[in-house]
Amino acid sequence: MPKFLKYLFFSLAFLSTSLWYLYFSSPPKNFSVNFFDVGSGDAILLRTPDNFKILIDGGPSSKILEYLGKSLGPFDRKIDLLILSHPHQDHLFGAEEVLKKYDAGMVLGTGVLYSSPAYLDVLKIVKSKNINFMVAEQGKILKFGDLELNIVYPFESLAEKKMENVNNSSVVIKAKYKKVSFLFLGDAEQEAGEKILKGNFDLKADVLKVAHQGSKNAANNVYGFLEKVLPQIAVISVGSNQFGHPHKETLDDLKNHNINVVRTDEKGTINIESDGEKFWIK
């Protein structure tokens, strides 16, 4: 092959690779929240226009790696914050895989005592990679550019404490991007929901991540809870399961409040974007 053709070939190859890299690595134009279709469990990616990346849970399998690869591209291996809502495997297993493959700037969790192998493995990885672990408790605020994360629950540190029902240890977060807000309930059940409702926290949010795959005992089913949140959209992250999630009572309650319900088992991955003034399902 003549030298000029070799040069042209390698130049074109370099250019295409560079453009491919730029395409995948460039941040979104708007604030983006992806509720990944990982089955029954949560895996939610928040990404800002200045490319801060926050992952809430990882779902029940390694499927999250496929979604992150598609969302962030093959070269971006950094997550600014990984939030572990609680230590049940349907939220945790994929998070363990993310910690193995990606560099996490910080991990936020409760530190609650729980002896499952998956949870203990996650804590070992956090320690071995020397990742900063922040204990979640109400009043703490994390800022990533125009994105503000307010911890609503738990009210106090649960580190090294044992709970009868770790669903009620779930980290509940209100995320605000300029004038648009999201409320993420993890798997919080009614016991936690009643405490949150009495806590006089500003729960108003445009988008609600329904608790615990829409179970009958979900925190958002507490009387008066939806009136405090007043969401326009409710997202249920759920897949095929033996528990009957989402329950009819939950769906009826959301319907009676004229809330638009979208489900990952029906729609697949749900992407909501916002310019800070308005929001839409993409």
Side-chain angles (χ1 to χ4, degrees), residues 39-42 90-91 167 185-190 208-222 226 234-239 241 243-254 261-265:
S40 284
D42 287 2
D90 57 338
H91 293 241
N167 280 338
L185 293 179
D187 272 4
E189 296 186 4
Q190 290 193 20
L208 170 69
K209 201 294 292 186
V210 173
H212 200 195
Q213 293 93 55
S215 76
K216 185 190 300 186
N217 200 30
N220 42 272
N221 287 346
V222 171
L226 290 177
V235 180
I236 302 178
S237 184
V238 66
N241 65 89
F243 307 107
H245 299 159
H247 280 121
K248 184 178 184 299
E249 291 89 338
T250 301
L251 296 174
D252 287 346
D253 197 20
L254 294 166
V261 176
V262 285
R263 300 163 45 171
T264 57
D265 62 333

Side-chain angles (χ1 to χ4, degrees), residues 110-172:
T110 62
V112 67
L113 283 179
Y114 195 68
S115 59
S116 78
Y119 183 50
L120 296 177
D121 285 345
V122 163
L123 296 180
K124 285 179 184 176
I125 295 171
V126 170
K127 186 175 181 180
S128 67
K129 296 183 83 169
N130 199 30
I131 302 170
N132 181 26
F133 186 93
M134 176 181 284
V135 176
E137 56 184 297
Q138 190 185 83
K140 289 184 177 179
I141 299 173
L142 299 173
K143 293 186 178 182
F144 299 89
D146 289 320
L147 175 64
E148 182 177 286
L149 303 178
N150 292 268
I151 300 175
V152 177
Y153 184 85
F155 295 154
E156 58 186 18
S157 172
L158 298 179
E160 301 300 319
K161 294 181 180 179
K162 192 170 183 177
M163 292 194 68
E164 184 177 344
N165 181 354
V166 292
N167 280 338
N168 285 320
S169 73
S170 289
V171 180
V172 174

